[in-house]
Amino acid sequence: MSLDQESKDAIQEEERVLAEVLTSLKAQLQDLSRRFDVERTRARELTSELVAAWREEDKAMLASDEAVAHALSHKQAGNIGTLEKLLQKPYFARFIVREYENGCPKDLEYKLGLAANPECRIVDWRKAPISKLYYNYKEGEEYCDQIQNRERSGVVILRHAVEITNGELVRLSCRHGTFTKKNGHWERLSGPARARSEHAAAEEYSHLPDVLSLITPEQFKTITEDADTAILIQGIAGSGKTTVALHRLAWLLHEDNSTLKANECVIVVPTPALKTYIANTLPSIGLQDVRVLTYLEWVADNLVGALPRFFDEHGRILRPADRPPRAVLRLMRSMALLKHMEQFEQNLRQKLFTRLKSAISREEAPPGLSKLLQNMAAVDAPIGVSLRELKAGVQRGLEAIHPAKPAHRALLSAQAAISREEEKLMDLEGGMLEILSVPEEIIKCDETRLLDREIADQVLMRFKQTLAEGTLDRFTDAALLRLLQIRTSGINPSGAFGPRYKHIVVDEIQDFGPIDLAALVKAAKDPRGLTLVGDTSQKIDETTIFPGWQKLMRHWDFKESVSKYITLTVNHRSTIQIMKLAQYIPVSYTHLTLPTIYSV
């Protein structure tokens, strides 16, 4: 289809702007490379002089100069890397605003990218407050907004979404329509854009577009606001839930927005297909070194230190030869078992401290020990943490009291009693057996009325069978991990304990059971460090009984100040793509293939 002149002019103008940007970036790269070579040579010369110097005062002066030279060299190397990336994809959107200064119009151009370059007027979308004008206003709309504590007003006169690959413009969305470059020629994908959603819907081509340019105002607000709250994102299929979650993490990982580091985060998904999809998407939005794991991989990663006998040499959990019955999985992932576990462990805590108090009372223990024990019993902390603190108090007493005194012998006896309780506590298999051995209590906690004594007995029998084999059923490991958290807050063999992650993103949570989600929520150092995404209407795992958002929030005691509930309702997914794909799925295999495709 031939393009009209206005469309051609818009494309040519965008190509001209890109050519100017690339010329500037190449010149910057050449200049920076020359300065880098000079600074690197100087740093090496200073290192040689430092090695040859023999007077201490000379060494001190040279060491200072050498450190500065190496630091500058390292910084310039980083800047070179940034410029090289910008040459491949300098920006993904360009917009022009018209503001008035002393009554005179003034046009200001901005380009949004993953890294800033002032000479080319490229701003980092995660850092620059000006980016909100692109996301919150359409072309032709007037704005009056607070930006960096200054009120700015004007009108958006141009708003282009672009896709640049290897320094070449390959896609443009503007008021004249959406266009793509194929085999060196430009083709129209859609007509004139009347609304932002049409930009997002124009995806009738073979590869994933740059979604950063398609984020809606609602999504942008979710990404950049309320960074200190847990976000619970509910949305229909294709509404951009995963996009919002990943870009929220990218925004948080920018050094100007939080102190969060990539190695303090994890993204957890239910299926390997979704893991692959997200892992391949992360580099395109500037996310590096963030781990993406399936839920079962994540459980194994956190459980291997506590239950090594259930793992092979590759760190994989040993599974039974046969699959567990669905009823077994349903109970092991149920809200009823979670409630029963928590109540059981609360009772265990009281019994444990009663036993310790009885053991201590038989000895001539110092008064401070009984008081310390009472304090530990009153604090609502994991039992393992309380025992560790109690043991540390006993050790301080042993160091302060003479070994010949009766109180010293009493402290030794208390130390031995605490060690025995710690050993019992780490017997997770025995603990789970005790929990499953009271089926009437599990059934009592079941609000769904789907569990009965027969299922509970079947679960107990199955667990004993797998223990004898040295294997674990799917999601039984998740229940054991939750038990480990309740008892020890996640103590590992190295001696460190406590939640490991500052931020956790969980996608498709409707396919996670309450115990699965509880383990994830409690793995965060603070509940504010959570981004949970899902849609209950898309559930594909029949063994999951998702209790609902509100019930989970009440169970975890999430206050409104800690969490925020977001609903996305606009579908940005192209039905044409889905229908074309469906033509290639044989009817006889539809029931096998659809779940995998759907999860992606």
Side-chain angles (χ1 to χ4, degrees):
M1 183 185 295
S2 60
L3 304 181
D4 58 75
Q5 191 59 44
E6 284 187 334
S7 299
K8 291 179 181 178
D9 291 344
I11 294 170
Q12 289 173 1
E13 174 63 12
E14 206 59 56
E15 289 179 325
R16 182 194 67 78
V17 172
L18 175 59
E20 290 182 354
V21 168
L22 293 177
T23 299
S24 174
L25 291 174
K26 289 175 183 176
Q28 293 178 49
L29 181 59
Q30 290 177 352
D31 181 58
L32 190 58
S33 297
R34 284 194 297 268
R35 285 188 280 131
F36 171 69
D37 290 338
V38 170
E39 203 61 54
R40 184 172 56 178
T41 301
R42 179 171 177 269
R44 289 174 176 172
E45 290 173 350
L46 286 170
T47 300
S48 299
E49 291 179 26
L50 179 61
V51 172
W54 58 275
R55 293 199 315 166
E56 291 301 322
E57 53 268 32
D58 291 340
K59 286 185 176 182
M61 291 178 60
L62 286 169
S64 176
D65 291 343
E66 183 209 30
V68 171
H70 279 293
L72 286 172
S73 177
H74 182 73
K75 184 175 185 299
Q76 287 172 351
N79 291 339
I80 287 173
T82 299
L83 282 172
E84 288 174 340
K85 290 180 180 178
L86 283 174
L87 280 168
Q88 300 300 309
K89 180 183 277 191
Y91 52 93
F92 56 82
R94 183 172 75 93
F95 66 104
I96 299 175
V97 297
R98 177 168 293 162
E99 298 182 353
Y100 289 85
E101 193 174 287
N102 300 323
C104 298
K106 183 179 181 180
D107 291 352
L108 302 170
E109 181 196 63
Y110 300 96
K111 306 174 188 75
L112 300 184
L114 296 176
N117 188 278
E119 290 188 34
C120 297
R121 296 193 67 82
I122 301 173
V123 298
D124 190 326
W125 77 277
R126 300 162 297 182
K127 178 180 178 181
I130 197 71
S131 62
K132 71 160 71 171
L133 296 184
Y134 173 83
Y135 287 112
N136 291 343
Y137 301 93
K138 293 183 286 189
E139 187 172 309
E141 284 187 346
E142 295 183 356
Y143 63 86
C144 184
D145 220 319
Q146 195 80 9
I147 299 176
Q148 290 184 318
N149 299 319
R150 174 186 160 211
E151 187 177 277
R152 294 183 59 169
S153 59
V155 60
V156 178
I157 62 172
L158 182 140
R159 185 183 180 281
H160 287 182
V162 301
E163 185 173 344
I164 300 169
T165 302
N166 297 325
E168 181 184 12
L169 182 69
V170 296
R171 181 176 180 269
L172 167 65
S173 288
C174 61
R175 65 175 175 272
H176 303 296
T178 299
F179 310 91
T180 185
K181 193 174 186 180
K182 293 182 179 179
N183 301 320
H185 300 285
W186 284 94
E187 300 176 3
R188 183 187 297 274
L189 290 178
S190 71
R194 298 180 181 85
R196 184 187 311 271
S197 60
E198 290 190 18
H199 284 183
E203 299 180 14
E204 301 168 25
Y205 53 105
S206 60
H207 62 284
L208 185 70
D210 190 338
V211 294
L212 271 171
S213 62
L214 307 177
I215 292 173
T216 66
E218 178 188 26
Q219 293 169 340
F220 183 71
K221 182 179 179 181
T222 302
I223 290 166
T224 59
E225 294 184 9
D226 303 303
D228 59 345
T229 64
I231 295 290
L232 311 175
I233 305 174
Q234 157 78 17
I236 61 175
S239 60
K241 303 183 296 297
T242 302
T243 295
V244 171
L246 296 182
H247 284 87
R248 182 177 191 243
L249 182 59
W251 189 86
L252 287 170
L253 283 171
H254 194 281
E255 59 184 5
D256 286 352
N257 299 327
S258 76
T259 59
L260 195 63
K261 305 298 181 187
N263 61 2
E264 299 170 331
C265 308
V266 68
I267 300 170
V268 181
V269 298
T271 65
L274 187 54
K275 172 191 171 181
T276 301
Y277 173 76
I278 288 178
N280 291 337
T281 300
L282 294 184
S284 69
I285 60 174
L287 277 179
Q288 305 291 337
D289 303 322
V290 177
R291 297 184 74 195
V292 185
L293 300 171
T294 66
Y295 180 70
L296 292 177
E297 288 174 339
W298 178 82
V299 170
D301 189 50
N302 285 276
L303 200 61
V304 63
L307 295 171
R309 80 180 185 93
F310 293 103
F311 288 78
D312 63 17
E313 65 274 15
H314 303 293
R316 294 177 301 217
I317 295 177
L318 298 169
R319 300 295 188 194
D322 61 326
R323 288 180 173 272
R326 289 189 176 185
V328 170
L329 292 180
R330 189 178 290 275
L331 187 146
M332 293 304 295
R333 304 182 73 191
S334 67
M335 193 78 177
L337 181 58
L338 176 62
K339 288 181 177 180
H340 172 56
M341 284 173 62
E342 292 174 348
Q343 186 58 53
F344 185 93
E345 292 299 301
Q346 189 67 27
N347 295 337
L348 177 67
R349 180 188 187 85
Q350 298 302 319
K351 293 175 183 177
L352 183 148
F353 282 106
T354 299
R355 289 198 300 269
L356 284 177
K357 185 177 180 181
S358 176
I360 290 171
S361 66
R362 293 195 296 267
E363 305 283 352
E364 297 182 43
L369 180 57
S370 296
K371 186 176 180 181
L372 183 61
L373 182 61
Q374 290 175 357
N375 291 339
M376 290 296 102
V379 174
D380 186 19
I383 307 172
V385 175
S386 296
L387 285 179
R388 178 171 287 202
E389 292 178 3
L390 182 61
K391 199 172 184 179
V394 169
Q395 183 59 40
R396 289 192 297 270
L398 285 170
E399 293 169 358
I401 298 174
H402 194 276
K405 292 187 177 181
H408 192 277
R409 291 194 299 273
L411 287 172
L412 284 175
S413 177
Q415 188 180 58
I418 295 170
S419 295
R420 287 193 297 272
E421 295 295 348
E422 282 185 318
E423 189 175 344
K424 291 178 187 175
L425 205 63
M426 290 307 295
D427 179 15
L428 299 179
E429 306 103 293
M432 186 57 69
L433 273 174
E434 291 180 353
I435 289 170
L436 296 176
S437 295
V438 279
E440 62 278 0
E441 295 298 325
I442 300 175
I443 296 168
K444 192 185 297 182
C445 295
D446 179 31
E447 296 180 3
T448 67
R449 299 293 182 263
L450 295 174
L451 304 177
D452 56 29
R453 180 62 183 263
E454 182 180 349
I455 293 175
D457 289 341
Q458 186 181 9
V459 168
L460 179 59
M461 187 182 304
R462 176 75 182 186
F463 186 61
K464 289 179 178 179
Q465 173 194 331
T466 57
L467 285 186
E469 296 173 354
T471 60
L472 291 175
D473 279 324
R474 289 185 311 122
F475 300 109
T476 299
D477 44 4
L480 287 167
L481 175 58
R482 182 65 196 119
L483 181 60
L484 176 68
Q485 289 177 324
I486 294 171
R487 291 189 170 187
T488 67
S489 189
I491 295 176
N492 61 48
S494 66
F497 63 90
R500 300 170 52 181
Y501 307 99
K502 286 190 177 179
H503 200 93
I504 301 176
V505 176
V506 188
D507 199 6
E508 305 292 359
I509 74 160
Q510 72 278 356
D511 286 316
F512 293 89
I515 294 179
D516 312 331
L517 286 170
L520 285 161
V521 167
K522 297 303 180 180
K525 291 188 175 181
D526 189 297
R528 294 176 178 84
L530 291 166
T531 302
L532 308 178
V533 186
D535 177 13
T536 54
S537 65
Q538 297 184 59
K539 188 176 73 169
I540 61 174
D541 191 337
E542 295 180 5
T543 67
T544 306
I545 305 175
F546 186 73
W549 294 93
Q550 300 302 328
K551 184 174 290 187
L552 287 174
M553 289 175 67
R554 286 195 302 271
H555 183 76
W556 294 325
D557 196 25
F558 273 18
K559 303 293 190 291
E560 289 187 7
S561 59
V562 176
S563 62
K564 185 174 182 182
Y565 186 88
I566 304 294
T567 301
L568 303 179
T569 57
V570 178
N571 189 331
H572 299 302
R573 188 172 295 160
S574 170
T575 54
I576 294 178
Q577 286 179 309
I578 296 172
M579 293 305 296
K580 284 182 178 179
L581 178 61
Q583 293 174 2
Y584 293 93
I585 302 174
V587 174
S588 59
Y589 292 101
T590 300
H591 68 289
L592 297 176
T593 309
L594 279 180
T596 302
I597 296 172
Y598 194 72
S599 66
V600 175

